Structures are given as C-alpha cells and as structure tokens.
Amino acid sequence: MYDPTVARLTYRALLGRRRALILGALPLLLIVISVAVRALTGADDQTASDVLGGFALATMVPIIGVIAGTGAIGPEIDDGSVVYLLSKPLKRPTIIFTKLIVAIAVTMVFSAVPTLVAGLILNGNGQQIAVAYTVAALVSSIAYSALFLLLGTVSRHAVVFGLVYALVWEALFGSLVPGARTLSVQQWSLAVAHKLAGGDLVTSDVGLPTATVLLVAVTVLATWYAGQKLRSLTLAGEE
C-alpha cells in the first residue's frame, strides 16, 4: 500500500522552495506571537489555550492541511503529469495511500511540532495544554490531509474549496452557528484535547466517542473515495 518512489516524488513536490516557504510562514508566525505574548503577559494557562486554540488549531493546522493535502496530487492532475504516474504498474489505492501518508507527515511536522513549541513557550505545558493541543494538531492533521487530498483529486479548485471550508465553515460558521460545530474537524480534535488537558480550559461541542468515530470515518471514506476517483480518472484518460 506504500510506494517509496511515489512518496519521494510527492515529498519533492511538497517541499520545493516556494511551497516550503509558504508552509513555514504560519508556524514561524505562531512562534513569534507566542514569544511576544509570553513577554507581555507572562505564563498564563488561559492565554496559552486561547492562542493555541484560536490560531494554531483553528487557522494554522487547516491551512497547512490544505497546502499539503491538495499539493500532494492536485498539481499533477492540473498539469497532466499524473498520466505518467498512472501508466506505471501501481494500484490506484496505493498511489492515494502513499500520497496521504506524505501529506499527513508534512502537515504534522509543520503544525504539531510548532504547536508544541509554542505551548511550551506560552506556559511551559501547564495543565498539559501544550501536549493537549499538540495531540489535537496530530489528530486533525490526519483528517485534514485525507479530506483535502480528496478535494485535490476531484476538483481543479481544491485550494479554494479547502480554504472556504477551513476559514469560512470552521472559523466563521463554527463560531456563529452551534450546529455547524458538529461537522468540524477542529471540534473533533478539540474533544481529544479536552480529554488530555486539565480543568475546563479546552472545551468541545462534540463528545469524545462521537469525535473519534467521525475522525476515523472521514479519514477512511475520503481516502477510499479519492482512490475511486483516481481510478475513474484513469478510465477517462484511456477513453
């Protein structure tokens, strides 16, 4: 299910100079904000939770997921180079699964690691806040990567749709419409963070059992459907 050659090509595409600069911009901004907040307010658990929840988990992780998930396959479909990949004796689910693993790894490195560093800077992991949000970033990285990889497979405007979901649906509607929070990867990952963090500093509108089921379901279904769409894309090209 995992092909090293496909993985190497995908890593090279995702970590090119321009894309790497984009991927590194938000983590760097998070660290700078954390240093400034710590210098101005000192170590405060509530402030740490607000920064990690409001910027790291709500903005940084989904945007990096969009870049990594769509970038793992979208450009190849757009420029037609995917035809060369599909001509190889590789199963389509293997291609999708390999690209998913790469997208997850890139998203985790550029989101979960900075989240942990920022949490340690903000309050030294008081009440396990840094660890809780880091685990939430790891969990959401998996779901976001699968979801946005699917978007990259089915649409030429995957980045736009991904940003609409991340910034409009989750950030805007999620903060204004209570019912929308149930269908939010952010809220599902917050349920995991709530279990790990001390006190009520981290909250979620979704219970942990429901969040776990939804995270797994979205990841599995998105990966499976992306494989099906890639198979149909091959058939269309052959016709």
Side-chain angles (χ1 to χ4, degrees), residues 173-216:
F173 282 94
S175 62
L176 299 177
V177 183
R181 298 170 189 164
T182 305
L183 301 176
S184 167
V185 174
Q186 177 189 344
Q187 291 296 322
W188 304 341
S189 60
L190 280 173
V192 179
H194 174 70
K195 182 69 175 179
L196 297 173
D200 295 322
L201 291 172
V202 184
T203 60
S204 174
D205 291 335
V206 183
L208 182 59
T210 302
T212 302
V213 171
L214 290 172
L215 284 166
V216 173

Side-chain angles (χ1 to χ4, degrees), residues 7 9 12 22 25 63 70-71 93 119 132-133 173 181 227 234:
L9 293 174
R12 186 180 301 172
I22 297 174
I63 290 179
T70 61
Y133 277 106
F173 282 94
R181 298 170 189 164
T234 306

Side-chain angles (χ1 to χ4, degrees), residues 71-120:
I73 195 170
E76 292 176 312
I77 294 177
D78 290 342
D79 62 20
S81 61
V82 71
V83 173
Y84 298 100
L85 182 60
L86 297 178
S87 66
K88 303 299 181 182
L90 292 171
K91 295 181 179 179
R92 304 305 175 252
T94 297
I95 296 173
I96 289 296
F97 184 76
T98 301
K99 288 182 173 294
L100 175 62
I101 294 300
V102 173
I104 290 173
V106 170
T107 305
M108 285 182 172
V109 169
F110 283 92
S111 61
V113 174
T115 298
L116 177 61
V117 173
L120 294 175

